[in-house]
Amino acid sequence: MVLGTATPSLAEDNPWQATLRLGTASPGGTYAVYGEGLARLISQELGVDTVPENTGGPYHNMALVHSGDVELGLTTLGPAREAWHGKSDVAPGVEMRNVRALFPMYQTPFQVITLADSGIEEISDLAGRRVGVGPMGGTCANYWPRFLEALGVEDVQYQYDGANQLADYVAVNLVDAFAFCAGLPIRAFQNLEARHDVHLFTFTEEEQARLVEAFPVAPFGIPAATYDSQTTTQHSVAFWNFAIGSKDLPEDLVYELMARVLEHPNLSEALHPAAADTRPEHLDRNTVMWFHPGAIRYYRDQGYAVDGDRIPPEAE
């Protein structure tokens, strides 16, 4: 399908608000890199000064967009589902229905990195170990403990912090392993690998199958050579990520934002290599939230059908 061409740059004639705030995540993860690139793209293309803000990640971003503390954010569909139905630990009982989905970003697979001489070779070896899992309230911090419990890995001592900090903790043996989840490649993993001999691993095929059965995740293969020291494809599981926005954003602004992102000729260079999956045909991966009316209009103009369950009340 050939996408329509966006109108010329609106940077010199911005009819909308002066500033947008974009919730990302902790430094060192893919959200921070992708979000910074997205903020630059919106600022340059639409003339709306867009400021990326480091946050606790997907759960936090759902709450921030819902409350109006930021206008845009990035989220993972697992945490988004919990927040949408009032089951988020960030705000228990609050159904975050002021949030609207915009466009698909990429899949977030789960992976572990350790020092090569740690003695940790596979998931079962994490029992009784100190394991970093990202910032408190993030997707990784919420789902790694659930995954390990489901796989019978016991007595894990969890450490919560930003991606860069936890990679540094691995380097100096303050934690034994760093179990994370982010779009590939993970910058913090790359930085640790550049300085030390490391071991990267995920799940066995049997463990992968058990997690797919027990959680709303899809099987995912992390390709060989994603990192210099990774020589084989690894079996993982993944959530899809979506950009989100406030329901109060102007429809025309969202429409133009969608066009400038999804029709950008070099999106992987502008945002992050994972943005190769930021394509409109993946809109059906959103089975959780209502789409913003501006996003719905864009998809329909490009010939894509939008599931009726994803249409918000204001667009009916």
Side-chain angles (χ1 to χ4, degrees):
M1 176 176 296
V2 178
L3 299 181
T5 302
T7 55
S9 176
L10 300 176
E12 297 180 359
D13 184 25
N14 167 25
W16 306 295
Q17 60 205 78
T19 304
L20 293 172
R21 297 159 296 179
L22 170 64
T24 61
S26 66
T30 304
Y31 268 25
V33 179
Y34 188 108
E36 289 171 4
L38 180 60
R40 284 194 303 271
L41 190 155
I42 296 170
S43 297
Q44 293 166 1
E45 293 289 330
L46 299 185
V48 181
D49 186 22
T50 305
V51 181
E53 297 187 0
N54 292 333
T55 70
Y59 287 96
H60 195 197
N61 292 339
M62 286 290 292
L64 291 171
V65 172
H66 173 76
S67 65
D69 290 310
V70 301
E71 291 77 27
L72 298 169
L74 313 177
T75 196
T76 311
L77 290 184
R81 182 184 301 278
E82 294 177 32
W84 190 257
H85 293 291
K87 297 179 180 179
S88 169
D89 290 341
V90 174
V94 177
E95 295 183 344
M96 299 183 188
R97 302 294 172 91
N98 293 335
V99 178
R100 297 291 179 267
L102 302 182
F103 56 84
M105 294 164 52
Y106 55 82
Q107 294 186 77
T108 287
F110 291 71
Q111 192 172 28
V112 186
I113 189 168
T114 66
L115 295 181
D117 61 0
S118 68
I120 299 173
E121 297 292 328
E122 58 189 21
I123 294 295
S124 61
D125 294 333
L126 296 175
R129 298 287 195 140
R130 300 165 300 170
V131 179
V133 289
M136 184 75 74
T139 304
C140 317
N142 276 273
Y143 277 91
W144 267 113
R146 300 183 201 182
F147 287 174
L148 295 182
E149 181 181 7
L151 296 175
V153 180
E154 300 178 342
D155 301 322
V156 179
Q157 303 168 51
Y158 295 105
Q159 177 73 44
Y160 303 94
D161 213 327
N164 285 339
Q165 289 79 6
L166 288 170
D168 289 341
Y169 294 170
V170 171
V172 296
N173 294 308
L174 288 178
V175 297
D176 302 306
F178 178 19
F180 202 49
C181 58
L184 302 175
I186 300 170
R187 182 71 57 84
F189 280 19
Q190 289 179 312
N191 292 341
L192 181 60
E193 182 187 48
R195 306 191 310 269
H196 300 275
D197 291 332
V198 299
H199 173 55
L200 291 134
F201 64 95
T202 52
F203 308 100
T204 65
E205 288 187 75
E206 188 270 337
E207 289 169 340
Q208 180 191 55
R210 287 169 62 184
L211 294 180
V212 169
E213 181 178 359
F215 298 93
V217 291
F220 186 97
I222 298 178
T226 296
Y227 304 94
D228 291 341
S229 57
Q230 183 183 332
T231 59
T232 61
T233 297
Q234 297 184 354
H235 303 286
S236 186
V237 295
F239 286 113
W240 269 92
N241 299 275
F242 266 74
I244 55 176
S246 167
K247 71 178 183 63
D248 296 325
L249 284 172
E251 181 176 328
D252 288 346
L253 170 60
V254 170
Y255 185 96
E256 291 295 339
L257 186 158
M258 298 282 293
R260 301 316 169 93
V261 172
L262 296 176
E263 299 175 29
H264 194 284
N266 298 300
L267 198 60
S268 291
E269 296 178 12
L271 303 185
H272 184 277
D277 283 334
T278 301
R279 302 197 301 269
E281 59 262 35
H282 295 313
L283 83 160
D284 61 348
R285 301 304 197 273
N286 171 29
T287 59
V288 176
M289 302 168 282
W290 294 320
F291 280 108
H292 192 284
I296 293 170
R297 179 156 63 91
Y298 178 79
Y299 287 127
R300 287 174 172 170
D301 282 355
Q302 304 307 315
Y304 294 98
V306 179
D307 187 329
D309 289 339
R310 305 281 76 79
I311 307 297
E314 65 268 23
E316 292 178 345

